[in-house]
Amino acid sequence: MSHARTQIRDAVVAVLNGTLLPVKSQRVTPLRQSELPVLTVSINRDVRVESSYEEVLRKCYITVSIYAQSDVADDAIDDIAANIETLMFGTYSVENGLYLSDLLHNLELEATEIRQNQEGQTDISIARLTFAGDYVINRSNPHDVLGYYLDKQ
C-alpha cells in the first residue's frame, strides 16, 4: 500500500477527472501548448497537528493548479476553479465506494492565486487553488489512513 499522501493525491486526481480536463499528479516536465488546459495536483506541505501513542493527526496542503493559454478568459478559469471546488467538496466516489471525505476531514479552500507566466514559448495563465485538510495515520504505519482520530471520540 502507498503512503497516505500518495493515497490522498491519487484520490484528488480521481475526483478531478470529473472536470473532463486532463489531470496530472505532480508535473515534472514542461507543459506543451497542445496539452493546455490541464490540471496538476500536488501536496506541497504536510504538518503534524496532534498525536497520541497510536495515531498522528496531520494537516496536508493540496495544490490544484490550472494551466491554460493566456488567451483563455479569466471567466473561463474561474469556471474551471468553481468546478474544482464543487468536485472537491462533493460526495463523489473515488473508487469502489471510497470517498475523498473518507481520507480527508475538515477540507477547506485556503487560497486561490491567479497569475500570468511565460513558460517556454507559451504565455500561460496559472490558477492555484490551495486546499487544507486533516487526515489521521497509524503512527507505526504511515500507509494506514484511519477514518478518524481515536483519542477524540
Side-chain angles (χ1 to χ4, degrees):
M1 174 151 288
S2 57
H3 191 280
R5 284 187 303 274
T6 303
Q7 293 177 55
I8 292 167
R9 189 175 49 248
D10 290 349
V12 171
V13 168
V15 165
L16 294 180
N17 280 326
T19 63
L20 303 180
L21 293 174
V23 183
K24 296 184 177 198
S25 179
Q26 292 193 307
R27 182 177 71 93
V28 290
T29 58
L31 296 170
R32 291 184 290 278
Q33 188 171 359
S34 62
E35 295 179 295
L36 303 177
V38 66
L39 305 178
T40 64
V41 176
S42 61
I43 296 179
N44 300 321
R45 189 167 175 235
D46 181 71
V47 296
R48 182 187 64 82
V49 175
E50 193 175 331
S51 60
S52 71
Y53 179 73
E54 295 179 354
E55 299 91 26
V56 179
L57 174 63
R58 291 184 174 167
K59 180 175 290 294
C60 69
Y61 296 86
I62 304 161
T63 301
V64 178
S65 299
I66 305 165
Y67 292 86
Q69 292 181 26
S70 60
D71 60 352
V72 172
D74 286 344
D75 289 346
I77 290 174
D78 287 339
D79 288 344
I80 296 168
N83 193 11
I84 290 168
E85 288 182 60
T86 299
L87 290 168
M88 289 291 287
F89 295 117
T91 55
Y92 302 96
S93 177
V94 174
E95 64 177 45
N96 302 326
L98 176 70
Y99 296 89
L100 187 57
S101 60
D102 292 333
L103 299 172
L104 280 174
H105 309 281
N106 305 318
L107 186 65
E108 294 292 336
L109 177 62
E110 295 276 315
T112 301
E113 173 190 355
I114 300 173
R115 62 186 175 87
Q116 302 294 316
N117 191 28
Q118 182 169 14
E119 192 155 310
Q121 301 296 325
T122 306
D123 290 333
I124 59 174
S125 295
I126 304 168
R128 288 196 170 91
L129 289 77
T130 302
F131 295 88
D134 298 333
Y135 69 99
V136 180
I137 61 165
N138 182 325
R139 179 185 291 279
S140 62
N141 183 358
H143 308 288
D144 188 10
V145 180
L146 306 174
Y148 49 86
Y149 193 57
L150 296 177
D151 282 356
K152 293 292 183 183
Q153 290 192 345

